[in-house]
Amino acid sequence: MARERLVVVGGDAAGMSAAANARRRRPAADLAIDVYEQGPHASYAACGIPYYIGGLVPSEQRLIARRVEQFEAEGIGVHLRHQVEGIDPAQRRVLVKPLDGGEARWEPYDHLLLATGSMPVRPQVPGIDARGVFGLNTLESGIAVHRFLEEERPRRAVIVGGGYIGLEMAEALIMRGLQVALVEKEEQVMLTLDADMAAPIARRLEELGVELRLGEALTAFETADGRLRAVVTEKGTISCDMAVLGLGVRPRSELAREAGIPLGVRGAVVVNERMQTEVPGIWAAGDCAQTFHLVSRRPFWVALGTVANKQGRVAGINLGGGYATFPGVVGTAITKVCELEIARTGLQEREIAALGWESVVVRIEAPTRAHYYPDAGRATVKLLAERGSGRLLGGQIVGTDGAGKRIDVVATALHAGLTVEEFLHLDLAYAPPFSPVWDPLLVAARQLAGSL
Amino acid sequence: MARERLVVVGGDAAGMSAAANARRRRPAADLAIDVYEQGPHASYAACGIPYYIGGLVPSEQRLIARRVEQFEAEGIGVHLRHQVEGIDPAQRRVLVKPLDGGEARWEPYDHLLLATGSMPVRPQVPGIDARGVFGLNTLESGIAVHRFLEEERPRRAVIVGGGYIGLEMAEALIMRGLQVALVEKEEQVMLTLDADMAAPIARRLEELGVELRLGEALTAFETADGRLRAVVTEKGTISCDMAVLGLGVRPRSELAREAGIPLGVRGAVVVNERMQTEVPGIWAAGDCAQTFHLVSRRPFWVALGTVANKQGRVAGINLGGGYATFPGVVGTAITKVCELEIARTGLQEREIAALGWESVVVRIEAPTRAHYYPDAGRATVKLLAERGSGRLLGGQIVGTDGAGKRIDVVATALHAGLTVEEFLHLDLAYAPPFSPVWDPLLVAARQLAGSL
């Protein structure tokens, strides 16, 4: 019998990272660890689902990062298809329901980690439950889309939502040979980019054959015999055989709310830098937890595997008796549409205005390699800085051939609070096959420094 | 007649950047600008020479960044094939010799910028002046190698020196179908990397067919009728039709020394952050000038186009009546051998030991994309941190598929003085086509944080 018991709710990135890190510091005799996961897999790569659907990843098995047996071998009990239905913080116990049969039972804990993740926004419109309408929240939902494509051979698909999942699914379905329309209620795709940076992405989608319908909100799914026949918007009807929802996600925090644990931004669980909630003995990490934005200096919420892994690690170190803190994020994200790389970090114009701050911005275009080196790509770089202080506030990149990952330099500068003048002098790597002598980032900074 | 006159010695990156920036701030009526350049070109891309020789760049014309006419149109006098032979700081004048004939004459200045660049180290061994032995210091020397390859069709080449130019020329000559041997007096190639990181580069060179002769110092060139026949080292004789020197460069600072301007590291001209030398009215920028290492916090010298451009810009802004400073460098560099990308920044083990500091190091290998995404490359990443403080001191990367440019994140972190723990939490861009969920840099940092 172990001295203490850690119960983890949710067996994906944050939960399993925490379990593994806690185990590394405390042996099984000291800390029993039990993970309850409602799905049939532990720790899979949700971000890989569009590439599996598109055919780039040959089998869903490739998306499973680690198997239950590996965790069990480390003395971590992983209970798949077990749903935690309630928390009793006063008596430090959780109500666990085995989904494959059997009664719900109370399980005691000394430490509880909520790693319940996020769930896709699902609009309550007519026809939402029709066959052929898919959300993408779990590996199983990805497998369901894959099977539908194989078995039903749909020809026309509508993507609802022009964000990351929407764009990645548009690419995937185009690669599978479908006709694709994309419906987005705003006047641009990729709302996390400014409109001027999103415009070339829309053009590229249209070149690829995607029928873009911007400024059209979904109102219903038209069905026949329980099967999807068309997507209906305020402006028209688009007949199709399948639809994929890409309307974003929200924290899965009902369990926490019902237990009286304070929630913050977008309903995410409020935690401190060590990942402790405001209720003693209860921790939270990953998509269900709130975090901090290091540029806006405000509480923030984001659902990303990288953040979940880091927060899980920090929670695990603390639960293992160590000391670690997670300082926050700067809002970095990247994706691609075929060869077009799309990346952003920090604050965009809309966010800066909402804070009441004033920004100075620049947008430049530059090659990704020396002008004389063959096959150089192009990068459009936008940088945003605070008027007055000159502090860098954000960056956006759209381009080809290594343009996108350059955003990491801006992200690092945002972590460090660099000014544009400091950024301009960064000693970035240069050789003709890798960069022009002025890297596109520094071309932008040089011009921005001139306007400050 | 302009109110003041700026004379620039050297018409490449630093000199022409300075001239252009000064002109932008002061019209011709206020400041006359005259550039004296001993060669026949202004502002060419020296770093592109190996790729021109290798056949990737079709014409040397592509390497010329801007033409004299463009500068003249901006009211910048560019005098090609004019050598400055002396400086008279007391009377503020320089002695200019037209190389195509005519007497040397004294030209007055109010401000003088030395942008004389660097020159390759040329060992005083027998046969150094033989036909077939090439240094690579100017565009003309690159053209000479190119012409020799076209006209004489050499079959066997020896590269002397295993640094950046040595590796780039080895790749270029292999691409041209030559048999290539590389002689390096140390026991490893790429001395700016630690030995453990240089080892896989040596293996790759051998796979490509380069005969590597490490730990062999050049002693002579064997000649017949004034033509190269063989390279002779302490350990043997390598018969060949051509040899290329890649033994590094040194600052071209004789003019400054003779004028009594203080020199520093490696004989580079000492300047402050505004690029002023210690003699009133005289400035220096680019390869001939000393700089500052932001990690070692010591004076430093490096010859790089990026630094030259930035220093030229800073000098030009100051000469134009503005205010700008160049804070220094962190020692970033990158190159490649075929698909193998090689990058470094900050201090390596040897440099840290020489400072009397103690480091903790880690070396990891990780994929460059999600493990399930097709065609992921591999990156070997080494990070070095200061024992005690945990401050990041340097990084080295050898790998494929976007591994190399990741060094920019480390360089940015070094500028900002981040600790390993801070680095570990960087919000780097993640999506399966771009990175695993833990970027190789963060895998390294996570492991290093564990050892600190």
Side-chain angles (χ1 to χ4, degrees):
Chain A
M1 185 75 183
R3 203 172 60 80
E4 287 193 324
R5 187 184 196 201
L6 166 64
V7 166
V8 178
V9 189
D12 202 353
M16 298 320 296
S17 287
N21 274 280
R23 170 58 70 237
R24 212 163 295 148
R25 290 167 173 262
R26 293 178 68 177
D30 185 42
L31 184 74
I33 304 179
D34 284 286
V35 180
Y36 296 103
E37 163 57 45
Q38 64 181 14
H41 306 287
S43 212
Y44 64 90
C47 314
I49 291 175
Y51 306 100
Y52 161 64
I53 292 172
L56 277 176
V57 178
S59 154
E60 73 272 14
Q61 295 299 317
R62 297 271 297 148
L63 298 182
I64 297 171
R66 291 175 74 190
R67 317 212 150 265
V68 169
E69 298 75 45
Q70 293 174 272
F71 293 108
E72 297 275 1
E74 293 172 18
I76 296 167
V78 182
H79 311 275
L80 300 178
R81 308 236 346 114
H82 280 68
Q83 186 160 23
V84 173
E85 296 189 323
I87 306 169
D88 176 357
Q91 296 198 55
R92 296 209 176 197
R93 56 182 193 165
V94 289
L95 187 61
V96 178
K97 167 85 176 164
L99 294 179
D100 293 329
E103 288 299 295
R105 61 181 190 266
W106 286 102
E107 292 281 347
Y109 68 79
D110 297 286
H111 312 283
L112 177 67
L113 174 67
L114 301 176
T116 46
S118 58
M119 56 194 303
V121 172
R122 205 171 160 82
Q124 291 312 307
V125 297
I128 183 78
D129 296 317
R131 178 157 170 77
V133 179
F134 296 95
L136 280 179
N137 50 329
T138 58
L139 185 51
E140 297 75 64
S141 64
I143 294 170
V145 173
H146 197 273
R147 189 180 303 131
F148 187 84
L149 288 166
E150 297 284 329
E151 291 175 4
E152 314 256 333
R153 302 278 162 189
R155 290 183 305 140
R156 285 172 304 181
V158 176
I159 314 278
V160 184
Y164 295 90
I165 286 288
L167 263 58
E168 290 165 8
M169 282 305 300
E171 179 192 288
L173 295 179
I174 287 279
M175 285 176 72
R176 300 278 306 215
L178 278 77
Q179 278 184 277
V180 176
L182 191 151
V183 171
E184 164 60 54
K185 73 175 195 303
E186 303 295 334
E187 293 293 342
Q188 67 168 84
V189 294
M190 292 299 281
L191 288 173
T192 59
L193 268 66
D194 293 332
D196 58 334
M197 294 297 287
I201 305 169
R203 278 198 301 276
R204 187 75 190 102
L205 286 167
E206 289 183 321
E207 281 168 19
L208 290 167
V210 175
E211 181 191 347
L212 263 194
R213 303 182 70 135
L214 301 179
E216 289 193 35
L218 170 77
T219 54
F221 294 101
E222 212 174 272
T223 61
D225 299 330
R227 294 180 71 96
L228 178 69
R229 301 299 300 272
V231 167
V232 185
T233 75
E234 294 159 321
K235 296 185 182 170
T237 298
I238 315 156
S239 59
C240 60
D241 314 308
M242 72 180 288
V244 179
L245 300 173
L247 294 167
V249 293
R250 60 173 188 79
R252 197 187 286 271
S253 57
E254 291 72 14
L255 203 58
R257 194 189 64 230
E258 287 162 14
I261 300 169
L263 306 184
V265 176
R266 304 276 303 276
V269 180
V270 173
V271 288
N272 65 11
E273 288 82 354
R274 297 187 71 192
M275 310 312 298
Q276 292 170 299
T277 73
E278 297 188 8
V279 175
I282 304 184
W283 306 64
D287 289 3
C288 70
Q290 181 176 282
T291 187
F292 188 77
H293 198 298
L294 294 165
V295 183
S296 73
R297 300 167 185 146
R298 302 283 194 284
F300 187 67
W301 180 73
V302 66
L304 261 181
T306 47
V307 176
N309 269 285
K310 287 175 195 153
Q311 289 185 342
R313 174 184 167 274
V314 164
I317 290 173
N318 287 316
L319 287 162
Y323 190 92
T325 56
F326 183 75
V329 301
V330 297
T332 312
I334 192 168
T335 189
K336 73 177 191 66
V337 176
C338 295
E339 82 300 337
L340 195 66
E341 305 173 3
I342 302 158
R344 60 95 65 215
T345 191
L347 305 175
Q348 63 190 125
E349 289 194 20
R350 171 159 27 92
E351 293 169 302
I352 295 168
L355 287 162
W357 299 356
E358 269 185 55
S359 60
V360 184
V361 309
V362 72
R363 191 182 71 239
I364 62 95
E365 205 192 320
T368 55
R369 308 181 188 208
H371 69 276
Y372 50 82
Y373 198 87
D375 304 325
R378 301 291 296 175
T380 302
V381 176
K382 181 170 186 169
L383 289 179
L384 306 95
E386 188 179 24
R387 186 180 295 282
S389 73
R391 178 167 72 111
L392 203 62
L393 296 180
Q396 297 165 38
I397 301 174
V398 175
T400 56
D401 181 44
K405 255 299 214 180
R406 279 175 157 92
I407 203 72
D408 285 348
V409 173
V410 185
T412 305
L414 293 178
H415 272 263
L418 298 192
T419 65
V420 174
E421 191 68 27
E422 289 166 332
F423 188 87
L424 162 62
H425 287 126
L426 289 177
D427 190 8
L428 303 185
Y430 161 64
F434 296 98
S435 168
V437 70
W438 285 95
D439 191 278
L441 294 176
L442 302 187
V443 172
R446 190 178 55 178
Q447 196 164 319
L448 187 52
S451 343
L452 273 165
Chain B
M1 186 76 182
R3 205 174 58 80
E4 287 192 323
R5 188 186 194 199
L6 164 64
V7 167
V8 177
V9 189
D12 202 354
M16 298 320 297
S17 288
N21 275 280
R23 171 57 72 236
R24 212 163 294 147
R25 288 165 174 263
R26 293 178 68 177
D30 184 43
L31 183 74
I33 304 179
D34 284 288
V35 180
Y36 296 104
E37 163 58 43
Q38 64 180 17
H41 306 287
S43 212
Y44 64 90
C47 315
I49 291 175
Y51 306 100
Y52 160 63
I53 292 172
L56 276 175
V57 179
S59 153
E60 74 273 12
Q61 293 301 316
R62 296 272 296 152
L63 299 183
I64 297 171
R66 292 175 74 192
R67 320 213 145 264
V68 169
E69 299 76 45
Q70 293 175 273
F71 293 108
E72 298 276 1
E74 293 171 18
I76 295 168
V78 181
H79 312 276
L80 300 178
R81 309 249 328 124
H82 280 68
Q83 188 161 23
V84 173
E85 297 189 323
I87 306 169
D88 176 358
Q91 296 198 56
R92 297 210 175 195
R93 57 182 193 166
V94 290
L95 187 62
V96 178
K97 166 86 176 162
L99 294 178
D100 293 330
E103 288 299 294
R105 61 180 191 268
W106 286 101
E107 292 281 349
Y109 67 80
D110 297 287
H111 313 281
L112 176 68
L113 174 68
L114 300 176
T116 46
S118 58
M119 55 194 304
V121 172
R122 206 171 159 82
Q124 291 314 304
V125 297
I128 182 80
D129 295 318
R131 178 158 169 78
V133 179
F134 296 95
L136 279 178
N137 51 328
T138 58
L139 185 52
E140 297 75 63
S141 63
I143 294 170
V145 172
H146 197 273
R147 189 180 305 128
F148 187 84
L149 288 167
E150 298 284 330
E151 291 174 4
E152 314 257 332
R153 302 276 161 190
R155 288 184 303 140
R156 286 173 302 181
V158 176
I159 315 279
V160 184
Y164 296 89
I165 287 287
L167 262 60
E168 290 165 9
M169 282 304 301
E171 179 191 289
L173 295 179
I174 286 280
M175 284 176 71
R176 300 279 303 216
L178 278 77
Q179 276 182 278
V180 176
L182 191 150
V183 171
E184 164 60 54
K185 71 174 197 301
E186 303 294 336
E187 293 293 343
Q188 67 168 87
V189 294
M190 292 300 282
L191 289 173
T192 59
L193 268 66
D194 293 330
D196 58 335
M197 294 297 287
I201 305 168
R203 279 199 300 276
R204 187 74 189 103
L205 286 167
E206 289 184 322
E207 282 168 17
L208 290 167
V210 176
E211 180 191 348
L212 262 195
R213 302 181 69 133
L214 301 179
E216 289 193 37
L218 169 77
T219 55
F221 295 101
E222 213 173 272
T223 62
D225 301 330
R227 294 180 70 97
L228 177 69
R229 301 299 298 274
V231 168
V232 186
T233 74
E234 295 160 321
K235 296 187 182 167
T237 297
I238 315 156
S239 59
C240 60
D241 314 310
M242 71 178 290
V244 179
L245 299 172
L247 294 167
V249 292
R250 61 174 189 76
R252 197 188 286 270
S253 56
E254 290 73 15
L255 203 56
R257 193 189 63 230
E258 287 161 14
I261 300 168
L263 307 184
V265 176
R266 304 276 303 275
V269 180
V270 174
V271 289
N272 66 11
E273 289 82 354
R274 295 188 72 193
M275 309 313 298
Q276 292 172 298
T277 73
E278 298 188 8
V279 175
I282 304 184
W283 306 64
D287 290 3
C288 70
Q290 181 177 279
T291 186
F292 188 76
H293 198 297
L294 294 165
V295 184
S296 74
R297 299 167 186 146
R298 303 282 195 282
F300 186 68
W301 180 73
V302 65
L304 260 181
T306 48
V307 176
N309 270 286
K310 287 174 196 153
Q311 289 184 342
R313 173 183 167 274
V314 165
I317 290 173
N318 288 316
L319 286 162
Y323 190 93
T325 57
F326 182 74
V329 300
V330 297
T332 313
I334 192 168
T335 189
K336 74 177 191 68
V337 176
C338 294
E339 82 301 335
L340 195 66
E341 305 174 2
I342 302 159
R344 59 94 68 214
T345 191
L347 304 175
Q348 64 188 126
E349 290 194 17
R350 170 158 29 92
E351 292 169 303
I352 295 168
L355 287 162
W357 299 357
E358 271 187 54
S359 61
V360 184
V361 309
V362 71
R363 191 182 72 238
I364 62 96
E365 207 194 321
T368 55
R369 308 182 187 207
H371 68 275
Y372 50 81
Y373 198 86
D375 304 323
R378 303 288 297 174
T380 302
V381 176
K382 181 169 185 169
L383 290 179
L384 306 95
E386 188 179 25
R387 186 180 296 284
S389 73
R391 179 169 72 113
L392 203 62
L393 296 179
Q396 297 164 38
I397 301 175
V398 176
T400 56
D401 180 46
K405 254 301 215 180
R406 280 174 157 93
I407 204 72
D408 284 349
V409 174
V410 185
T412 305
L414 293 178
H415 271 263
L418 298 192
T419 65
V420 174
E421 191 67 29
E422 289 167 331
F423 188 87
L424 162 62
H425 288 128
L426 288 177
D427 191 9
L428 302 185
Y430 161 65
F434 296 98
S435 167
V437 68
W438 285 94
D439 191 277
L441 294 175
L442 302 187
V443 172
R446 190 177 55 180
Q447 196 166 317
L448 187 53
S451 341
L452 272 165

